[in-house]
Amino acid sequence: ERAFHHDVTGRPGPVLVDIPMDMFSADLPVGSFQKIPTAVSRPALDPAMAERIAQALSEAKRPILYAGGGVLSSHATAELQALAEALEIPVAHTLMGKGCLREDHPLLLGMTGFWGTPVANAFCLDADLVLATGTRLAEANSSSWDPRFTFSFPPTRLIHIDIDPAEIGRNFPTELGAVADAKLALGAIAAAAKGKSHASRPELRKTIASGRAEFSSRWDHQWTSDQYPLRPERILAELHKAIPQDGFIVTDVGWNKNGMAQQYPINVPGTFITPSGLCTMGFGPAAVLGVKTAHPERAAVTLIGDGAFGSNMGVVATAMEANLPVVWVVMDNSGFGTIAGLEAMHYGWSFGCMFECNGQPYTIDYAAVARACGARGVMIKAASELGPALTEALASGVPTVIQVPMENAPTPTPGHWNINDIYRNGN
């Protein structure tokens, strides 16, 4: 009961229950597991605080709404949009906040931080007031908290709303903090903002559109590249055409997470499932099974690197046993590509991160492994094969591994990450 209480109070998330073996072997009365967890109300924002925040936003010259994963987990995207539109405020987001607004919304700046977008970082850096909701203001999204790149608190003022009181003021000095559920808080502020005047920003939407278009022009031509091994952007393009808008896309870590968050349009909140703070390689191959279990009627595809899939191939047998028709897209660059790139950048070589055998690139035939488990396995041999393979996989009703040889191309990094300062040559 205590585990369920922890699960539904404070910041939502998984709870570990550690049960000794003698307890597992104990005799229990019939009906021991029939109790329903107690309903717990979420903390709201009091009207005076909502009015104070709405007034501060209306008076600011360059305000920003900054959305974290809490906005999505509390289903607060409609409230966020209402507030943004009421006061004409641009919206930036964290990795976990992707999907907080439709990708084509004219006030959406995009993701901040190391793998973010230049326009989002620039707007946040220039802001005079940031309202951050449902976010830890964590390292990667905040360019390692370096005031030159994404956030500069102060002189920028910070209002921080989070359901976990430990997060208020933890990473940045906070002018005003509130412990509240994101949906209740943003709804109250949006209601208080109705009818308030705000600074005129006639060129705002045009500036956002121009900034986003300029950045996408650096890589969007790769969405149609026929190169083989494939460009990662071509993989995203084919997935976007094949999967329904309400289909779930799960990622692991590496290009599949960073590039996806930066460049792929998400228009249905909650359909982008990704690990964040712990950077847990191996999350993607298994997490997609949970997503399909929760939503069996909707498509579920996971983008994963060969490094992650190679260490967790047993998930295919699990999917067969559980009759879960998920799709694994293995973006195969024969290595731990992100770490290999960092090593090459700083040392001029890669140690143990590019898979080789007798001096030649080494790759496992993951498609054959899938077939050995009774699932479908498809090896892509040309860029033109990927789209049809995805369409067939989603229609097949059978677990499918699609192996896509891919160039080890880095994700653009407009922000900052001080891992590049930590990597150094010894004397």
Side-chain angles (χ1 to χ4, degrees):
E1 291 174 33
R2 196 165 25 152
F4 281 112
H5 176 75
H6 281 307
D7 192 48
V8 298
T9 57
R11 182 192 296 166
V15 178
L16 170 67
V17 181
D18 189 1
I19 305 177
M21 285 299 294
D22 60 339
M23 296 292 184
F24 255 132
S25 303
D27 293 325
L28 296 172
V30 173
S32 292
F33 297 102
Q34 298 303 310
K35 291 190 71 172
I36 297 173
T38 303
V40 178
S41 67
R42 311 293 280 178
L45 200 64
D46 70 79
M49 180 65 82
E51 173 64 30
R52 181 176 174 183
I53 294 173
Q55 188 64 33
L57 289 170
S58 70
E59 292 173 354
K61 291 183 173 59
R62 300 178 305 280
I64 294 288
L65 299 180
Y66 191 53
V71 171
L72 291 166
S73 62
S74 66
H75 306 286
T77 55
E79 290 78 6
L80 175 71
Q81 181 173 330
L83 176 57
E85 292 174 351
L87 298 177
E88 193 76 357
I89 303 176
V91 176
H93 62 77
T94 67
L95 168 70
M96 300 301 287
K98 185 174 177 67
C100 62
L101 291 183
R102 283 185 58 89
E103 205 73 26
D104 57 2
H105 196 286
L107 292 175
L108 183 66
L109 295 165
M111 187 169 68
T112 62
F114 185 58
W115 291 290
T117 61
V119 67
N121 283 331
F123 265 73
C124 288
L125 192 61
D126 186 54
D128 59 349
L129 176 64
V130 171
L131 171 59
T133 307
T135 171
R136 297 179 295 126
L137 292 160
E139 181 187 16
N141 297 302
S142 303
S143 292
S144 294
W145 308 294
D146 189 315
R148 296 173 296 170
F149 296 96
T150 300
F151 297 113
S152 183
F153 302 118
T156 303
R157 300 156 57 207
L158 173 62
I159 299 175
H160 192 182
I161 299 172
D162 199 88
I163 203 164
D164 184 354
E167 297 300 338
I168 307 296
R170 184 166 76 93
N171 287 325
F172 285 114
T174 304
E175 177 181 291
L176 188 62
V179 178
D181 173 77
K183 185 179 184 70
L184 298 176
L186 289 173
I189 299 168
K194 284 184 180 178
K196 287 189 182 296
S197 60
H198 58 80
S200 176
R201 292 182 270 272
E203 297 296 310
L204 175 63
R205 296 181 181 222
K206 181 179 178 181
T207 302
I208 292 173
S210 175
R212 295 190 65 183
E214 191 282 326
F215 181 54
S216 67
S217 70
R218 304 182 196 180
W219 43 261
D220 59 3
H221 57 287
Q222 300 288 5
W223 284 54
T224 56
S225 170
D226 288 326
Q227 173 185 309
Y228 187 87
L230 276 70
R231 288 286 308 187
E233 297 88 350
R234 177 66 187 267
I235 298 173
L236 297 189
E238 296 302 332
L239 178 60
H240 184 244
K241 287 187 286 186
I243 193 170
Q245 279 207 4
D246 70 345
F248 289 94
I249 300 174
V250 183
T251 78
D252 201 78
V253 298
W255 206 104
N256 52 83
K257 170 177 71 72
N258 306 325
M260 172 80 188
Q262 184 187 75
Q263 301 177 19
Y264 189 95
I266 291 290
N267 292 316
V268 177
T271 54
F272 175 57
I273 310 295
T274 191
S276 181
L278 294 178
C279 237
T280 43
M281 180 172 285
F283 169 90
V288 70
L289 304 184
V291 170
K292 190 66 175 178
T293 300
H295 297 279
E297 76 289 353
R298 290 162 69 178
V301 176
T302 184
L303 294 178
I304 45 179
D306 53 311
F309 191 71
S311 62
N312 198 8
M313 288 184 281
V315 293
V316 180
T318 303
M320 290 297 297
E321 290 181 327
N323 192 27
L324 295 170
V326 302
V327 180
W328 296 270
V329 177
V330 182
M331 302 170 75
D332 187 355
N333 57 14
S334 298
F336 299 119
T338 299
I339 305 303
L342 286 166
E343 288 184 342
M345 181 192 309
H346 294 280
Y347 303 124
W349 46 259
S350 171
F351 181 77
C353 288
M354 296 307 295
F355 307 152
E356 295 181 340
C357 180
N358 298 321
Q360 297 298 315
Y362 174 74
T363 187
I364 297 170
D365 190 339
Y366 297 115
V369 171
R371 292 192 294 270
C373 294
R376 297 178 73 249
V378 181
M379 174 66 79
I380 299 301
K381 297 181 179 178
S384 59
E385 295 179 1
L386 179 56
L390 282 163
T391 300
E392 291 170 15
L394 290 166
S396 70
V398 178
T400 302
V401 172
I402 301 176
Q403 186 168 354
V404 189
M406 182 190 85
E407 178 188 351
N408 186 28
T411 308
T413 54
H416 172 71
W417 184 18
N418 73 354
I419 194 170
N420 288 310
D421 303 325
I422 296 166
Y423 274 82
R424 62 184 182 86
N425 290 311
N427 295 323

